[in-house]
Amino acid sequence: MLLSGVAGNATRLLMDTLQTQYNERLVKIIKDYQQARYSDFAVLWQPANVPLSTYPVDALSSVDCFHPALKTHQLIASETWNRLVGTTAERSTSIAWRDTPHYRCLQAEDRIHTDTLL
């Protein structure tokens, strides 16, 4: 069960603030690599837009009812992979719940865009 009341709200605000700080740092790192334009290395920004509140209860771990369950990790992994060659708009859409992950096979004409941020 999530901590409720003032203490719970304060804790969640701290977590949200920390996540924002991590994301800002990641974006800086990615921009640095993109500006360097290495011919043999690239870094991508692919945040997972996961609307957990719309997922079924069993999408959360039965151990702590807080962290994602194995099948949720599998879903996030498959959707991240599937969006790897997508447009900025395709990569930024939220990940809809599905019971069974689907993996897209890359095609010869696919290209991973390494010069854009979401």
Side-chain angles (χ1 to χ4, degrees):
M1 180 171 165
L2 294 177
L3 189 59
S4 61
V6 175
N9 291 338
T11 301
R12 282 185 288 283
L13 179 60
L14 287 172
M15 289 173 58
D16 290 345
T17 301
L18 184 60
Q19 179 184 4
T20 299
Q21 291 170 344
Y22 275 123
N23 286 341
E24 288 170 353
R25 182 64 181 138
L26 287 171
V27 168
K28 182 185 180 317
I29 292 167
I30 291 159
K31 285 181 177 179
D32 289 346
Y33 275 98
Q34 288 178 343
Q35 289 171 356
R37 297 198 155 288
Y38 294 105
S39 62
D40 59 348
F41 186 78
V43 178
L44 302 174
W45 175 240
Q46 181 63 44
N49 185 352
V50 183
L52 277 176
S53 63
T54 66
Y55 288 9
V57 69
D58 61 340
L60 296 176
S61 168
S62 61
V63 174
D64 63 9
C65 299
F66 176 78
H67 290 92
L70 174 62
K71 64 183 177 180
T72 308
H73 279 288
Q74 292 170 333
L75 174 65
I76 294 168
S78 70
E79 290 296 321
T80 300
W81 172 259
N82 293 342
R83 296 160 188 235
L84 199 57
V85 296
T87 64
T88 299
E90 292 166 341
R91 292 190 346 243
S92 64
T93 60
S94 64
I95 298 174
W97 177 256
R98 65 169 72 192
D99 288 319
T100 306
H102 165 76
Y103 291 89
R104 177 185 180 279
C105 292
L106 294 178
Q107 306 298 313
E109 65 276 3
D110 285 334
R111 296 295 177 266
I112 299 172
H113 302 279
T114 62
D115 59 349
T116 60
L117 285 171
L118 290 179

